[in-house]
């Protein structure tokens, strides 16, 4: 089934076939992202106007829209050209004026003949104590009163497109809606009391009050569910398709993992043990693993990831772990080194910096299988990098790593298992929308011995106190990070800010105490500054946000973030997670420039009140919306016309389990409900999914 079903033709036809839509309107509708009648059907009213007929203006709330029957009195044309043309009118209890500008008198005397009765509806305001309705929206004879809806829907518009034109075109689309077979399971539909698809659209476009415009109204909920269902079906089909592709069975003996567990000075958390078991079980199955490991700052992802790499080695294969930047790759190497020594496996690093003979030697060892675990940047993708037997690829920080790279990696080891790690807790709704094709393991416990971090808001006016606090801490042998704001527009401004802060702190704290790292430094200098800080040679590291992810210095117990209000919540949370890694109590000082805007205040106080990354990500999502959270450009997040990912995560979860259940009962979507679901996929333009069924 590779072409659109005929029943949907009316919804994907030419817009100019609709009432009142010409070539110019088509361009205007294009600005609203409407290119077919189907898009108009899914452009729901966002508000409404109460047009219920009243006895008199006297009991109405003014200013506001009023609909009332009046007797038409005297016309008073304007003396000035284009001035106000006034008409006196009287309802059952009081008098007021209708006002028109640039009006043609002959037109108005026909529309509003003196002495006759008309129903007028429009916005009424008081002007010098006199009630006026300027340019009424509707003027009707009594017998046409029924043509005015009691509650008039208001649509999103764009300059040049009137509400009248939009309403007319939508009405025409609603008349053409086909009758589609039901794709929702009868149980789900009955439980929620949802209307059928066609009725749902008609009801959503004919609200009777504000209550019909909220997301929880049955018609709207059903339409949102349909969008989520189509999206989740697409993800479930991709997942099923990948599962059909042969994977490798990597069954480990456990002997290397036991060595590592014995060498640890602590007991892994329950969450870590659970994630390790889930991953090992996936790797032992013949299908390819595609799992997301989600863990908050400091929840111990590194250990879980290393255990997964060891399963591959125990099974006689190799594993690779990839990071988005060189600093991070080196960090992983340092974190994994002691674990690799405990297990007795060969671990190597490959980055863009490896050149010539050294690189050739590494590549040869990799192809022979002498290197068992490789850590690297995207240099691992290059054509000449060949593994003897790659079993698992672990990708760090999904957000900088699109689906395309995930597939590239899959090709390196045609059947390799994939584990994606992210240190950014993702709210459930986004995780479902973005990673719905993956299984998810969550690390939601902190390893033992981690002390909570004290977070304080400090006005920049108290900078001197902060510096003397630092001086005291350094004399006690502690270390601190000082993060400078990164001003997006220009690279040179933050450099100056970082350089100046570096100079002023050096002057205050003494030579050789303060180091500096920023994006413009040559890699060797960056590494040297980091190394000096890690080794404890410098006590304060001034940095732009290069240290956001992955840096691990247990002795660093103070984090100062300048202009904290200019950072996103998730980013602040990541930065704060750089301290609190040792046995000592840590502090995070958020320096802000007063006065703080309301959103800045909310971000900083949220951070002060909680260290729970999932809670923080939810507040961040409420404040910024889903596109910003992941950077829409590469987020691959779907855009829904009716559904709201942020506030309807429960509905998304229901759609996910329904989609998976439908496919497990009917993998080829061949039964009656399966056929209906295929129509839904076409309706929602999920062509990718349709291709998967046809090749499936």
């Amino acid at each position: 089934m590779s072409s659109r079903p005929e029943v949907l033709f009316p919804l994907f036809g030419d817009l100019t076939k609709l009432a009142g839509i010409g070539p110019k309107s088509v361009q205007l509708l294009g600005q609203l992202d409407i290119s077919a009648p189907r898009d108009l059907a899914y452009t729901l009213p966002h508000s409404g106007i109460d047009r219920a007929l009243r006895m008199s203006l006297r009991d109405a709330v003014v200013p506001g829209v009023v609909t009332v029957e009046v007797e038409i009195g005297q016309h008073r044309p304007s003396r000035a050209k284009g001035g106000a043309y006034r008409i006196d009118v009287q309802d059952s209890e009081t008098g007021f004026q209708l006002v028109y500008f640039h009006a043609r008198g002959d037109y108005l005397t026909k529309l509003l003949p003196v002495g006759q009765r008309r129903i007028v509806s429009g916005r009424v305001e008081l002007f010098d104590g006199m009630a006026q309705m300027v340019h009424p929206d509707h003027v009707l004879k009594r017998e046409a009163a029924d043509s005015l809806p009691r509650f008039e829907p208001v649509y999103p518009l764009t300059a040049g497109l009137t509400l009248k034109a939009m309403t007319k075109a939508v009405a025409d689309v609603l008349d053409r809606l086909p009758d589609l077979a039901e794709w929702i399971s009868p149980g789900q539909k009955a439980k929620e009391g949802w209307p059928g698809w066609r009725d749902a659209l008609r009801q959503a476009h004919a609200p009777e009050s504000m209550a019909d415009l909220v997301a929880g109204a049955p018609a709207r909920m059903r339409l949102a569910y349909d969008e989520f269902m189509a999206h989740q079906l697409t993800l479930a089909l991709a997942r099923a398709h990948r599962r059909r592709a042969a994977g490798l069975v990597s069954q480990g003996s456990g002997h290397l993992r036991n060595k590592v567990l014995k060498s640890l000075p602590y007991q892994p958390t329950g969450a870590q043990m659970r994630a390790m078991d889930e991953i090992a079980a996936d790797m032992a199955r013949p299908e390819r693993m595609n799992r997301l490991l989600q863990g908050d700052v400091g929840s111990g992802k590194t250990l879980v990831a290393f255990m997964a790499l060891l399963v591959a080695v125990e099974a006689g294969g190799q594993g690779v772990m990839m990071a988005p930047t060189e600093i991070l790759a080196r960090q992983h190497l340092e974190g994994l080194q002691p674990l690799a020594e405990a297990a007795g496996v060969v671990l190597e690093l490959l980055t863009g910096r490896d050149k010539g003979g050294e690189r050739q030697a590494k590549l040869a060892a990799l192809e022979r299988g002498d290197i068992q675990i490789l850590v690297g940047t995207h240099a691992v993708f290059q054509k000449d990098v060949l593994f003897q037997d790659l079993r698992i690829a672990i990708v760090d920080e999904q957000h900088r790593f699109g689906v395309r790279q995930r597939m590239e990696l899959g090709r390196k080891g045609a059947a390799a298992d994939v584990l994606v790690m992210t240190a950014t807790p993702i709210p459930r709704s986004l995780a479902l929308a973005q990673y719905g094709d993956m299984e998810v393991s969550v690390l939601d416990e902190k390893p033992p011995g981690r002390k909570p971090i004290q977070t304080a808001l400090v006005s920049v006016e108290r900078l001197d106190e902060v510096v003397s606090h630092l001086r005291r801490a350094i004399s006690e042998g502690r270390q601190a990070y000082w993060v400078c704001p990164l001003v997006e527009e220009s690279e040179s401004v933050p450099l100056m800010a970082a350089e100046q802060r570096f100079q002023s702190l050096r002057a205050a704290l003494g030579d050789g105490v303060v180091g500096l790292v920023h994006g413009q430094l040559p890699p060797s200098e960056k590494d040297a500054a980091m190394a000096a800080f890690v080794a404890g040679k410098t006590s304060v590291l001034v940095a732009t946000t290069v240290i956001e992810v992955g840096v691990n210095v247990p002795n660093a117990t103070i984090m100062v973030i300048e202009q904290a209000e200019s950072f996103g919540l998730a980013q602040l949370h990541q930065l704060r997670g750089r301290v609190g890694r040792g046995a000592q109590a840590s502090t995070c000082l958020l320096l802000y420039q007063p006065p703080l805007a309301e959103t800045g205040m909310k971000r900083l106080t949220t951070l002060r009140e909680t260290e729970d990354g999932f809670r923080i990500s939810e507040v961040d999502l409420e404040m910024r919306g889903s596109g910003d959270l992941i950077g829409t450009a590469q987020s691959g997040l779907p855009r829904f016309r009716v559904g709201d990912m942020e506030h309807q995560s429960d509905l998304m979860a229901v759609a996910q389990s329904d989609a998976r259940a439908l496919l497990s009962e009917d993998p080829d979507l061949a039964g009656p409900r399966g056929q209906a679901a295929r129509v839904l996929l076409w309706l929602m333009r999920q062509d990718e999914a349709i291709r998967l069924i046809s090749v499936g």
Side-chain angles (χ1 to χ4, degrees):
M1 163 165 173
S2 48
S3 60
R4 185 179 290 131
E6 206 166 310
V7 67
L8 293 179
F9 287 0
L11 290 175
F12 288 89
D14 191 342
L15 282 171
T16 54
K17 301 272 192 298
L18 297 175
I21 299 292
K24 178 144 194 292
S25 305
V26 170
Q27 280 185 327
L28 296 172
L29 288 169
Q31 293 173 21
L32 295 171
D33 215 12
I34 294 171
S35 60
R38 171 237 174 255
D39 304 328
L40 258 179
Y42 276 90
T43 303
L44 301 186
H46 58 72
S47 71
I49 300 168
D50 183 354
R51 300 260 184 215
L53 188 62
R54 292 175 178 278
M55 289 304 293
S56 166
L57 196 67
R58 196 163 265 174
D59 57 357
V61 180
V62 173
V65 171
V66 183
T67 306
V68 66
E69 187 178 328
V70 295
E71 184 174 320
I72 296 150
Q74 196 182 353
H75 282 235
R76 309 162 184 268
S78 159
R79 295 210 175 84
K81 194 170 161 31
Y85 186 114
R86 299 171 191 277
I87 303 168
D88 294 332
V89 295
Q90 182 79 31
D91 68 24
S92 61
E93 294 179 24
T94 182
F96 60 99
Q97 285 185 336
L98 305 181
V99 182
Y100 288 87
F101 293 95
H102 302 286
R104 293 201 325 277
D106 53 345
Y107 165 72
L108 289 178
T109 45
K110 266 204 200 86
L111 183 70
L112 296 151
V114 177
Q116 294 204 11
R117 300 187 77 79
R118 291 288 184 270
I119 291 168
V120 293
S121 182
R123 186 174 169 80
V124 174
E125 297 192 15
L126 289 174
F127 193 73
D128 284 343
M130 179 68 175
Q132 298 187 341
M133 185 184 286
V134 179
H135 287 271
D137 304 322
H138 300 273
V139 175
L140 304 164
K141 293 185 176 166
R142 283 160 101 174
E143 53 271 27
D146 290 351
S147 69
L148 187 66
R150 285 178 57 90
F151 188 76
E152 185 178 38
V154 176
Y155 291 95
L157 300 170
T158 181
L161 188 67
T162 63
L163 184 58
K164 232 176 202 143
M166 188 77 168
T167 308
K168 195 168 166 186
V170 167
D172 196 3
V173 176
L174 295 177
D175 282 344
R176 299 166 186 237
L177 291 180
D179 195 11
L180 303 181
E182 187 54 84
W183 46 78
I184 300 180
S185 76
Q188 171 68 17
K189 192 175 160 196
K191 181 176 127 239
E192 297 288 352
W194 286 341
W197 173 77
R198 187 162 60 173
D199 287 343
L201 274 170
R202 288 180 176 162
Q203 286 172 28
H205 284 282
E208 289 178 8
S209 70
M210 290 312 253
D212 294 335
L213 296 169
V214 300
R220 285 192 175 231
M221 245 177 117
R222 182 226 146 113
L223 295 172
Y225 172 89
D226 290 345
E227 289 187 302
F228 291 166
M229 176 75 173
H231 176 62
Q232 289 296 342
L233 263 175
T234 304
L235 291 174
L237 280 162
R239 176 170 166 259
H241 188 66
R242 194 171 36 237
R243 292 189 143 191
R244 276 183 225 157
L248 297 165
V249 173
S250 300
Q251 183 92 49
S253 59
H255 71 284
L256 297 177
R257 282 171 288 169
N258 287 336
K259 283 187 186 174
V260 173
L261 288 174
K262 282 205 184 81
S263 75
L264 295 174
Y266 59 88
Q267 184 59 40
T269 63
Q272 284 177 306
M273 296 304 285
R274 190 175 62 234
M276 289 174 201
D277 291 345
E278 287 168 346
I279 293 166
D282 270 1
M283 292 178 72
R285 289 193 190 102
E287 303 91 14
R288 283 180 71 177
M289 169 169 80
N290 190 36
R291 188 173 277 278
L292 175 70
L293 176 62
Q294 229 189 321
D296 202 350
V297 179
S299 57
K301 286 185 300 296
T302 308
L303 178 65
V304 176
F306 190 68
M307 289 304 199
L309 292 165
L310 285 184
V311 173
V313 178
E314 287 172 4
Q318 293 164 297
V320 64
M321 183 161 177
M322 309 197 17
T325 65
E326 189 157 336
I327 283 191
L328 279 184
R330 288 186 184 280
Q331 205 81 50
H332 280 314
L333 184 75
E334 282 156 29
L336 298 178
Q337 205 89 55
L339 301 174
E341 278 162 23
V345 295
V346 181
L347 175 72
E348 255 307 346
L349 178 72
L350 183 70
T351 69
R353 245 195 255 181
D354 290 302
K355 298 275 187 289
E358 196 182 341
R359 180 178 155 88
Q360 288 314 314
K362 277 186 190 178
L363 295 182
L366 199 61
E367 202 170 351
R368 282 197 308 273
D370 294 352
I371 295 173
Q372 293 160 297
I373 295 175
L374 184 68
V375 174
T377 53
H378 53 263
V380 174
F381 283 140
Q382 287 160 347
K383 297 265 187 300
D384 57 352
V385 180
L386 301 169
F387 292 83
Q388 185 194 32
D389 177 11
L390 179 63
R391 296 297 185 93
I392 183 170
I394 298 182
V395 179
D396 186 18
E397 274 302 328
Q398 169 67 18
H399 301 342
R400 319 216 169 123
F401 230 90
V403 177
R404 205 180 70 246
Q405 280 103 329
R406 262 195 269 176
M407 290 170 82
E408 280 269 341
L409 201 59
R411 291 193 195 102
K412 280 283 174 207
D417 289 326
V418 175
L419 179 68
V420 172
M421 295 200 309
T422 169
T424 316
I426 305 160
R428 174 159 163 256
S429 53
L430 287 193
L432 284 167
Q434 190 167 20
Y435 306 117
D437 59 327
M438 304 176 90
E439 307 308 321
V440 182
S441 293
V442 178
L443 298 180
D444 48 12
E445 298 170 45
K446 286 256 203 266
R450 284 234 164 186
K451 291 208 169 75
I453 302 168
Q454 285 282 256
T455 303
L457 275 57
V458 183
S459 158
V460 80
E461 292 154 355
R462 293 168 50 199
L463 193 68
D464 296 350
E465 291 173 46
V466 174
V467 175
S468 45
H469 174 69
L470 264 190
R471 193 177 292 117
R472 252 195 330 278
I474 292 168
S475 67
E476 293 161 14
R478 298 178 15 204
Q479 288 176 280
Y481 295 100
W482 189 296
V483 178
C484 294
L486 188 53
V487 183
E488 294 300 330
E489 287 75 69
S490 109
E491 273 299 320
S492 57
V493 177
L495 292 193
M496 275 169 48
E499 291 276 359
Q500 281 168 354
R501 182 57 66 218
F502 168 66
Q503 300 296 355
S504 70
L505 287 175
R506 203 167 63 171
L509 303 170
D511 258 354
V513 177
V514 189
L516 173 67
V517 185
H518 57 67
Q520 305 287 294
L521 283 177
S524 54
E525 283 182 42
K526 217 184 287 187
D527 287 356
M530 290 297 255
F533 186 64
V534 172
K537 292 191 185 126
T538 52
S539 302
V540 179
L541 184 63
V542 174
T544 51
T545 48
V546 261
I547 59 161
E548 191 176 336
V549 213
V551 182
N552 191 9
V553 182
N555 190 42
T557 58
I558 298 170
M559 167 65 73
V560 181
I561 304 175
E562 248 188 279
Q563 278 182 34
E565 71 275 18
S566 67
F567 292 93
L569 245 179
Q571 208 180 14
L572 288 168
H573 179 60
Q574 291 292 334
L575 286 168
R576 173 171 64 181
R578 299 298 111 223
V579 295
R581 295 179 161 244
Q584 288 170 297
S586 296
T587 46
C588 172
L589 303 177
L590 304 171
L591 285 181
Y592 66 90
Q593 188 83 47
L596 264 182
E598 195 183 334
T599 50
M601 194 68 191
K602 185 171 177 189
R603 275 208 294 270
L604 301 188
T605 49
T606 300
L607 208 69
R608 182 176 64 196
E609 281 150 27
T610 179
E611 274 194 72
D612 174 354
F614 287 92
R615 174 76 202 107
I616 286 170
S617 71
E618 263 152 19
V619 175
D620 205 12
L621 180 62
E622 280 161 31
M623 291 177 70
R624 293 200 294 162
S626 50
D628 283 352
L629 209 58
I630 307 197
T632 311
Q634 80 271 47
S635 72
L637 275 178
R639 290 185 39 223
F640 300 114
R641 280 184 182 269
V642 183
D644 175 353
M645 272 186 309
E646 280 135 71
H647 302 105
Q648 295 183 302
S649 59
D650 294 350
L651 199 58
M652 179 74 87
V654 174
Q656 182 186 57
S657 63
D658 287 359
R660 289 183 175 187
L662 176 59
L663 280 180
S664 70
E665 287 159 28
D666 182 4
D668 298 320
L669 297 182
R673 218 184 119 210
Q675 292 288 351
R678 288 177 173 231
V679 172
L680 168 68
L681 290 170
W682 279 109
L683 175 68
M684 296 298 174
R685 297 199 171 99
Q686 297 285 341
D687 309 13
E688 192 63 19
I690 292 152
R691 219 194 58 227
L692 284 172
I693 312 175
S694 21
V695 298

